[in-house]
């Protein structure tokens, strides 16, 4: 019996990573591979029992050896053993970090089509999970999901953020400078976070993230 090395709760159930790298999902809805949505919680609220056994997520995640999972109510991030980061779920604010959101392409022009949706991806099911568009060679060692945004830390100590930035939650704009507050309100591609607030008194490397 495998051990669980990472756990995360979303709006439609529990996700777990096993010691062998598999990503499992317990859910109170009939289709566990469906992208998380607010409506998925209605089955649990009505008293419908959750499935007795977890389901291993397949599709694009079948070949991924996972080491960690993070989730919000509406989207999920999966860190792979090779340092890659995969995402699925809601994408209305670009929180999947695939370069395109529900409002079209952002930062850097047209992105490759994901899931056959061209330049607009509002949601990806787990079986359609896409690799987050981090810089080439990036190795993720930690990731977190916020409400409509995501953050990740790399093995070199740098941090990246993407998704909703209406409340400056990405750390990409200084709220004391009005000109910067008038910038883009969301980023559908990961952007490097920088500034004096990252310094920890030693080497300035980011070691963990939360959102």
């Amino acid at each position: 019996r495998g051990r669980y090395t990472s756990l995360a709760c979303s709006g439609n159930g529990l996700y777990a990573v096993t010691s062998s790298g598999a990503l499992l999902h317990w859910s109170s809805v009939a289709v566990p591979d469906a992208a998380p949505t607010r409506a998925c919680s209605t089955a649990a609220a009505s008293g419908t029992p959750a499935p007795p056994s977890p389901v291993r997520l397949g599709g694009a995640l079948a070949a991924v050896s996972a080491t960690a999972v993070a989730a919000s109510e509406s989207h999920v991030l999966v860190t792979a053993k090779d340092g890659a980061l995969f995402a699925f779920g809601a994408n209305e604010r670009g929180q999947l970090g695939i370069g395109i959101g529900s409002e079209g392409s952002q930062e850097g022009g047209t992105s490759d089509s994901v899931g056959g949706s061209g330049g607009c991806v509002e949601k990806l099911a787990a079986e359609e999970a896409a690799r987050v568009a981090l810089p080439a060679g990036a190795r993720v060692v930690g990731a977190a999901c916020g409400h409509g945004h995501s953050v990740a830390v790399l093995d070199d100590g740098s941090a990246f953020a993407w998704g909703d930035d209406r409340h400056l939650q990405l750390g990409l704009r200084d709220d004391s400078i009005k000109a910067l507050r008038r910038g883009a309100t969301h980023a559908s591609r990961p952007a490097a976070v920088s500034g004096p607030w990252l310094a920890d008194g030693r080497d300035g490397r980011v070691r963990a993230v939360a959102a």
Side-chain angles (χ1 to χ4, degrees):
R1 187 173 180 178
R3 297 174 57 189
Y4 302 125
T5 59
S6 180
L7 298 170
C9 294
S10 76
N12 76 335
L14 170 69
Y15 292 88
V17 174
T18 69
S19 56
S20 63
L23 180 63
L24 307 180
H25 184 219
W26 290 258
S27 178
S28 59
V29 296
V31 185
D33 270 2
T37 64
R38 189 178 299 274
C40 290
S41 61
T42 57
S46 65
T48 303
S53 300
V55 174
R56 179 170 183 171
L57 298 185
L61 294 171
V64 174
S65 180
T67 58
V69 60
S72 72
E73 183 175 340
S74 62
H75 74 293
V76 179
L77 297 175
V78 181
T79 304
K81 186 176 182 179
D82 64 1
L85 188 65
F86 294 84
F88 63 91
N91 193 43
E92 73 278 2
R93 300 299 297 178
Q95 61 263 49
L96 299 188
I98 57 178
I100 42 182
S102 62
E103 299 178 16
S105 184
Q106 294 281 333
E107 297 83 34
T110 303
S111 174
D112 292 336
S113 172
V114 178
S117 302
C120 178
V121 176
E122 294 185 354
K123 182 182 294 185
L124 288 178
E127 62 186 12
E128 301 173 312
R131 185 165 181 163
V132 176
L134 288 160
R139 292 182 59 87
V140 174
V141 295
C145 299
H147 184 69
H149 69 285
S150 304
V151 291
V153 59
L154 307 188
D155 62 353
D156 63 1
S158 60
F160 284 77
W162 58 96
D164 189 5
D165 196 32
R166 288 173 293 180
H167 303 291
L168 308 177
Q169 59 265 55
L170 300 187
L172 305 179
R173 298 180 288 160
D174 186 340
D175 63 0
S176 68
I177 303 176
K178 293 182 179 180
L180 292 179
R181 286 186 64 88
R182 292 197 294 268
T185 58
H186 72 284
S188 57
R189 286 182 179 275
V193 178
S194 63
W197 53 86
L198 288 181
D200 63 2
R202 297 188 296 276
D203 56 11
R205 291 168 58 92
V206 178
R207 289 170 171 77
V209 289

